[in-house]
Amino acid sequence: MKSISEILTRSPLFKGIAENSIEPMLNCLRAREKNYSKNEYIFHAGASTAEIGIVLTGMVQIIKEDVWGNNTILAQLTEGMLFGEAFVIGNTDKIPVSVYSLQASRILFLDKEKTVTPCKAACEFHYNVSHNMLEILAQKNIFLTERMEHLSKRTLRDKVLSYLSDAAQKAGSREFTIPFDRQGLADYLAADRSALSAVLGKLKDEEILDFKKNKFYLIN
Amino acid sequence: MKSISEILTRSPLFKGIAENSIEPMLNCLRAREKNYSKNEYIFHAGASTAEIGIVLTGMVQIIKEDVWGNNTILAQLTEGMLFGEAFVIGNTDKIPVSVYSLQASRILFLDKEKTVTPCKAACEFHYNVSHNMLEILAQKNIFLTERMEHLSKRTLRDKVLSYLSDAAQKAGSREFTIPFDRQGLADYLAADRSALSAVLGKLKDEEILDFKKNKFYLIN
DNA sequence: CTAAATATGTTGTAATTGCAACGAAAGGGG
DNA sequence: CCCCTTTCGTTGCAATTACAACATATTTAG
């Protein structure tokens, strides 16, 4: 079984910290490990916590239930990924999502205050952790803002154009490759795959863009 | 003219810091102030920066231009509000939006590293600033995630139900008041106002919910 | 290379939505 | 109380999209 440090070196929260510096820091972060079996709830929506979760092994889902009892899977997390950090740092009293263990999983919990508040001088790299947390939150912010810009267009056509324009700007070229297949892009844009294909076909007919598989070219 | 400290006490970044402690900290944050006239660009998309902006007075817009030259207004900021923080902290090399001064504005720029890295012991409250930044980013994350959950529903009907379910859960009751008028809710859900009214009317007919003005009740 | 599996495009239909225009309701002064 | 403004619901219509089902193309595995 992999050691905790070994796994955490690959977690964004411990980026830039040497593996042998992690172990001694865990005490300071009040880390506690817990195992969950397959199909067990790690956290129930509506409860409170002051701990940030990290998946050490296994796989967990973030689930939201509406008032009529319909469940939506918001995310699926694997090794090294964080959960709950935004709610805990944002001081949400009742966390509105559940966390569910899809497979047998080892979860590490870190105390929020300890994680974001570097200790005076005791742990050399403790400061890196809070700094990494800032980066993680900022980058997630950027990602969410981008997707929101696309999703807030009224028509699928405009969503597609918004997404492709963005991709072109990032690539610095009117010709670029996207990291999605059609189904993936449809999901990202919250649309039906065949409707997406139709819209893309129409845009090609109108000579607004051209594409072959995942390679696109924006005309004019 | 209001002093900088006076304005900053009302900025979320300086929450919990006494007004007379702000002034001495500004040096440490490498704060620089600059005035912009009406209709002047504060920042052009595609450039780089390592500074976080704060609107001291006036009003600025965050603008995004697509590859075809269409502009979208992403946000409009007033006194005390931050801009650029996610991009700067997230280490984005080329910032993809422009910042535009709608009116004559005073802008304060803070050095990212200095803002995020508390100094050893020099400024008593410097640590609060980086902690506040974490909270700001986390809360914005929550807000963005919530809206995305609604926007990622395929139909307007489902967007509406998703939003109202969330509102009910937050209120802790099936009866609650929403902070939007119809046009506001339509904008939030990226839909047409009259289409929203129609959907709400239909949901009422189907006895899935009831409403009068901004007061809603979810049935069953 | 072939068969199977997967991904993409196409078609038809029903439903939803955007859009514009209008009328009713609610709210705010004077 | 009335006028004015704003908000909200309704209607008709055109356009878009979801959805299902199928055809074609591409990839993968054997």
Side-chain angles (χ1 to χ4, degrees), chain B residues 155-157 190-195 199 202 213:
Chain B
T155 67
L156 177 54
R157 179 194 176 95
D192 180 74
R193 183 193 56 77
S194 72
V199 166
K202 194 170 180 193
K213 287 212 30 161

Side-chain angles (χ1 to χ4, degrees), chain A residues 155-157 190-195 199 202 212-213:
Chain A
T155 68
L156 176 53
R157 179 194 177 96
D192 180 74
R193 183 193 56 76
S194 72
V199 166
K202 193 170 182 194
K212 185 171 185 180
K213 287 214 26 161

Side-chain angles (χ1 to χ4, degrees), chain A residues 65-92:
Chain A
E65 182 172 345
D66 69 18
V67 293
W68 295 280
N70 307 306
N71 284 326
T72 307
I73 298 169
L74 298 181
Q76 191 151 303
L77 310 181
T78 56
E79 185 173 312
M81 302 176 98
L82 298 179
F83 61 86
E85 75 285 1
F87 294 122
V88 171
I89 295 176
N91 298 314
T92 305

